[in-house]
């Protein structure tokens, strides 16, 4: 894809897009053909001069549009590419192009080269996002915030602990993608290497070395576990991006306002002058929503390859693989941008903590009253006070103060005791220590 694209700035951001353009695909195909000729020369089945001539031919520009149009007659772009290379050469060099290989060998190997470059970009952006989240965790280690379950306020956490969770969720798929090792594809027409005159394994080993790819024992023409694995890894990365992006979108809502993307000039509306939309988080979330469908397409195709070479399922992989790399790459890039420019508003965080008038601290109040009342009585008193506060639309702190004052042996200063019971900073458990443990673990593994 050389056309910049109407939607690409929003939905195809980042280095993965450049690694998956039509030009990048053609460059990878040519790289494989040149390496295949060099590998044949390494194995002694092709003159070195012919291999160098083929490499020179592979350096000439090839128009992706023309190649794509020509692919319609054969069903894949390798056939017209080979014809074009041979037409540019003479004699034994021309006959040495693509010798022994089948179209799928070249296209599959090119696909993993394209994927490797795109995955590197995705991994870099995931790590940038993770680093930004870690910085937020350190900066807001002790800042109490409303923890939410099922989209309802539940109990206090800290902004730092939430950010540490974002970081952990992003680092895991980044590490998994970094550990992914693609393999060369070379088997000939039906995986027997028959057209290599007994030198097939030598050529395959040399090709793997030249392209820095793993060498499988057998061709994987219809055993598509490698593609399924890559799809799963990218799907996992997309899910991690989506989880964080969803949090950011929700926290940036007008009624919440705990975070914002602090980028001048971004987030405007075509109609509403006041809008500051979280564009980066929204775009990252859009990518995460798109990714699972592409993963499903690849997994569906992987299970339908038949016999030694597939009629359709192989072809069905090309576009969703390209789009999955590009889409997850876009999400990772946008999320890195969002987290790098994220501003936390402590006042709004504090306001969210108080929006229920203290109900968020009901569990802590029960725990704090156990010594005075016993577990059952403390739970009953707090539950009743919470219900009254909700039914009468009154601050929970006021209702609980009245309940303590009405006890047979009330505390000396019920209001002061309630303030202590409902102190968010005292209700975050081991959040600060958990953040510290997590940040130390990153230092050890970095």
């Amino acid at each position: 894809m050389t056309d910049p694209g109407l939607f690409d700035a929003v939905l195809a951001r980042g280095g993965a897009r450049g690694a998956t353009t039509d030009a990048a695909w053609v460059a990878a195909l040519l790289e494989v053909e040149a390496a295949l000729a060099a590998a044949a020369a390494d194995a002694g089945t092709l003159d070195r001069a012919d291999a160098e001539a083929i490499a020179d031919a592979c350096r000439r520009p090839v128009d992706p549009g023309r190649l794509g149009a020509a692919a319609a007659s054969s069903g894949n772009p390798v056939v017209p590419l080979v014809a074009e290379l041979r037409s540019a050469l003479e004699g034994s060099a021309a006959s040495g192009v693509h010798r022994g290989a089948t179209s799928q060998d070249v296209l599959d190997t090119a696909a993993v080269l394209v994927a490797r470059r795109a995955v590197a970009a995705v991994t870099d952006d995931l790590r940038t996002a993770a680093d930004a989240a870690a910085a937020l965790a350190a900066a807001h280690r002790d800042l109490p915030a409303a923890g939410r379950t099922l989209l309802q306020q539940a109990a206090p956490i800290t902004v730092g602990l939430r950010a540490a969770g974002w970081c952990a969720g992003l680092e895991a798929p980044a590490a998994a993608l970094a550990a992914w090792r693609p393999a060369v594809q070379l088997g000939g027409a039906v995986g027997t290497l028959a057209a290599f005159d007994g030198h097939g394994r030598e050529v395959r080993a040399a090709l793997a070395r030249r392209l820095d790819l793993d060498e499988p024992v057998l061709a994987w023409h219809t055993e598509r576990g490698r593609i399924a694995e890559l799809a799963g890894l990218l799907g996992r990365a997309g899910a991690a991006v989506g989880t964080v992006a969803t949090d950011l979108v929700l926290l940036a809502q007008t009624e919440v306002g705990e975070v914002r993307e602090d980028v001048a000039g971004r987030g405007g509306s075509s109609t509403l002058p006041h809008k500051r939309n979280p564009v980066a988080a929204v775009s990252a979330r859009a990518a995460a929503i798109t990714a699972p469908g592409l993963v499903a397409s690849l997994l569906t195709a992987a299970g339908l390859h038949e016999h030694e070479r597939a009629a359709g399922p192989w072809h069905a992989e090309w576009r969703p693989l390209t789009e999955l790399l590009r889409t997850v790459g876009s999400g990772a890039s946008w999320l890195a941008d969002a987290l790098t420019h994220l501003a936390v508003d402590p006042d709004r965080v504090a306001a969210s903590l108080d929006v229920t008038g203290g109900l968020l601290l009901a569990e802590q109040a029960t725990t704090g009253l156990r010594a005075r009342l016993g577990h059952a009585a403390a739970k009953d008193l707090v539950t009743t006070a919470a219900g009254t506060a909700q039914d009468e639309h009154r601050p929970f702190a006021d209702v609980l103060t009245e309940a303590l004052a009405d006890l047979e042996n009330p505390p000396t200063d019920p209001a002061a005791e309630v303030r202590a019971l409902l102190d968010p900073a005292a209700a975050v458990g081991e959040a600060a220590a958990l953040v510290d443990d997590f940040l130390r673990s990153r230092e050890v593994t970095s």
Side-chain angles (χ1 to χ4, degrees):
M1 293 180 63
T2 54
D3 187 332
L6 178 62
F7 303 112
D8 283 4
V10 176
L11 301 178
R13 175 191 170 103
R17 184 195 184 278
T20 56
T21 61
D22 288 349
W25 267 98
V26 172
L29 292 169
L30 290 166
E31 183 180 357
V32 175
E33 290 289 358
L36 179 61
D42 293 343
T45 64
L46 183 67
D47 287 344
R48 184 66 64 184
D50 289 339
E52 291 173 355
I54 293 170
D56 286 341
C58 288
R59 295 188 187 100
R60 298 174 186 175
V62 174
D63 176 39
R66 185 181 74 249
L67 192 64
S73 63
S74 58
N76 74 75
V78 178
V79 174
L81 178 64
V82 170
E84 189 166 327
L85 291 173
R86 286 175 176 163
S87 69
L89 297 164
E90 297 179 351
S92 58
S95 65
V97 174
H98 196 68
R99 182 180 294 172
T102 192
S103 297
Q104 188 171 353
D105 290 332
V106 173
L107 205 150
D108 276 352
T109 304
V112 298
L113 294 180
V114 167
R116 181 166 64 186
R117 289 157 190 156
V119 163
V122 174
T123 303
D124 285 347
D125 283 330
L126 287 173
R127 286 172 170 163
T128 298
D131 287 344
L136 289 166
H140 302 288
R141 168 185 181 271
D142 301 309
L143 180 61
R148 299 172 175 93
T149 62
L150 282 68
L151 288 177
Q152 305 296 307
Q153 288 199 1
I157 61 168
T158 66
V159 172
L161 184 62
R162 178 181 286 139
W166 294 340
C167 180
L170 294 166
E171 285 188 324
L177 283 170
W180 174 68
R181 281 289 301 172
V184 74
Q185 178 75 284
L186 191 65
V190 291
T192 63
L193 297 170
F196 289 93
D197 297 326
H199 298 280
R201 286 173 295 168
E202 294 175 66
V203 174
R204 185 183 64 196
L207 180 61
R209 284 195 303 271
R210 284 186 168 273
L211 296 175
D212 190 27
L213 296 172
D214 283 354
E215 182 192 2
V217 175
L218 301 175
W220 44 280
H221 290 147
T222 56
E223 198 294 289
R224 307 306 281 180
R226 289 176 174 82
I227 300 299
E229 177 191 24
L230 177 58
L233 291 172
L234 291 166
R236 180 183 182 185
V241 166
T243 296
V244 180
T246 297
D247 275 358
L248 297 184
V249 169
L250 292 173
L251 291 171
Q253 290 180 100
T254 303
E255 294 82 359
V256 181
E258 294 182 26
V259 304
R260 69 180 186 279
E261 293 175 9
D262 196 11
V263 180
R266 181 189 287 173
S269 164
S270 62
T271 304
L272 303 169
H274 64 283
K275 292 295 288 294
R276 290 188 64 180
N277 297 312
V279 170
V282 167
S283 301
R285 194 173 188 225
I289 291 168
T290 305
L294 298 167
V295 173
S297 294
L298 289 168
L299 294 180
T300 300
L304 296 176
H305 284 247
E306 71 282 353
H307 301 310
E308 282 64 54
R309 298 275 302 288
W314 174 54
H315 309 71
E317 293 175 354
W318 306 340
R319 290 183 71 175
L321 177 59
T322 301
E323 287 301 320
L324 181 59
L325 290 162
R326 190 175 297 160
T327 295
V328 175
S330 183
S333 177
W334 273 118
L335 188 64
D337 182 288
L339 290 172
T340 301
H341 296 99
L342 196 71
V344 175
D345 187 332
D347 292 337
R348 294 300 295 268
V349 172
S352 291
L353 275 169
D354 196 43
V355 75
T356 62
L359 281 171
L360 185 68
L361 284 304
E363 180 184 35
Q364 176 174 274
T366 300
T367 302
L369 290 171
R370 283 176 187 167
R372 175 188 294 276
L373 304 176
H375 175 74
K379 183 178 180 182
D380 288 345
L381 184 145
V382 173
T383 299
T384 300
T388 301
Q390 291 171 307
D391 293 342
E392 298 181 1
H393 305 289
R394 297 173 58 200
F396 176 59
D398 293 350
V399 177
L400 186 60
T401 298
E402 294 172 2
L404 291 184
D406 289 340
L407 289 173
E408 185 175 342
N409 294 304
T412 303
D413 188 346
E417 182 155 339
V418 168
R419 283 195 297 273
L421 290 171
L422 303 187
D423 178 9
V428 296
E430 299 177 48
L434 289 168
V435 171
D436 291 342
D437 289 347
F438 175 72
L439 294 178
R440 278 194 298 268
S441 73
R442 291 188 84 234
E443 295 175 359
V444 171
T445 58
S446 63

